[in-house]
Amino acid sequence: MGFHAAPLLVGLRPASLLSFRRDRFDDFEGLLASYKACFSCKGIEVFRVAEGEAYTLLLFYRAACLRRHLEQAEVRDLLQAYGYPCDEGLDVCLAHLCLRMQLQKSFPHEIGLFLGYPVADVVGFITHKGQDFCYSGYWKVYANERETRALFDRYAHCTEDFCSRLEQGCSFPDLVKAV
């Protein structure tokens, strides 16, 4: 969790999407409940995006940060073009995301907006069908390469620091920041 979601856990990203293979845990639901307790006091919520026989796909997000991101005019416009009822709130948009995943049986490309990706990169990915990007890191980059590379460097440093501190014995809840 720390390796895959450190930028969210310290407040650099509004959300992280993680897939869990439930049979790798003795009590997945119990473990998730224990994380929820830690996260709720830090402003992080958990949403089940999809669930199969073996896997659960969870969106961990900071509601206030994600709301602000999704309320940007160009983000709203793109989401509304895909049928998202943006005027009905974040929970309804998340439910619509689940519906889109079920209908497509895959990730709808606009999911990047829920993860805080820049609109230009989401539009670029859709337009170019995942090809012709100028850089690839945490996502495929189609615009503002220099700024995005710097952001990716911040994410990588954050992840390295978070994991290093865990290895040194810091407790996971102490490392998760309230934002």
Side-chain angles (χ1 to χ4, degrees):
M1 178 97 196
F3 179 79
H4 293 289
L8 161 76
L9 299 173
V10 302
L12 294 178
R13 288 184 67 177
S16 287
L17 189 65
L18 294 149
S19 177
F20 293 89
R21 187 170 162 180
R22 290 188 306 275
D23 67 1
R24 291 200 173 168
F25 302 92
D26 291 333
D27 179 10
F28 178 76
E29 295 302 326
L31 179 63
L32 183 57
S34 72
Y35 273 111
K36 281 184 180 180
C38 166
F39 290 154
S40 65
C41 68
K42 307 283 181 142
I44 297 172
E45 297 184 33
V46 182
F47 181 78
R48 288 177 192 260
V49 177
E51 199 146 23
E53 284 186 34
Y55 291 89
T56 298
L57 185 63
L58 300 174
L59 180 73
F60 294 85
Y61 66 98
R62 294 182 182 273
C65 297
L66 184 55
R67 222 177 262 112
R68 274 193 307 275
H69 180 71
L70 297 180
E71 288 172 353
Q72 294 176 54
E74 57 187 357
V75 174
R76 284 177 60 90
D77 290 347
L78 185 55
L79 286 175
Q80 287 174 329
Y82 285 97
Y84 286 82
C86 294
D87 294 333
E88 296 180 34
L90 179 57
D91 291 339
V92 176
C93 285
L94 289 172
H96 190 77
L97 175 64
C98 289
L99 177 64
R100 297 239 329 128
M101 285 192 69
Q102 289 170 0
L103 293 173
Q104 288 187 223
K105 305 217 185 298
S106 67
F107 290 105
H109 299 312
E110 72 275 5
I111 197 167
L113 298 173
F114 289 89
L115 299 171
Y117 299 179
V119 173
D121 292 334
V122 173
V123 170
F125 186 89
I126 293 167
T127 303
H128 298 280
K129 297 178 176 28
Q131 302 299 310
D132 303 323
F133 47 90
C134 58
Y135 185 72
S136 182
Y138 288 85
W139 60 82
K140 291 183 178 177
V141 179
Y142 291 86
N144 303 312
E145 179 183 355
R146 193 181 74 190
E147 294 88 354
T148 307
R149 280 181 183 256
L151 180 61
F152 288 175
D153 286 346
R154 285 179 54 209
Y155 288 173
H157 176 72
C158 164
T159 300
E160 183 180 309
D161 181 61
F162 194 94
C163 291
S164 173
R165 293 172 72 192
L166 275 175
E167 288 173 0
Q168 292 169 6
C170 292
S171 77
F172 185 85
D174 288 344
L175 292 175
V176 177
K177 304 273 189 257
V179 178

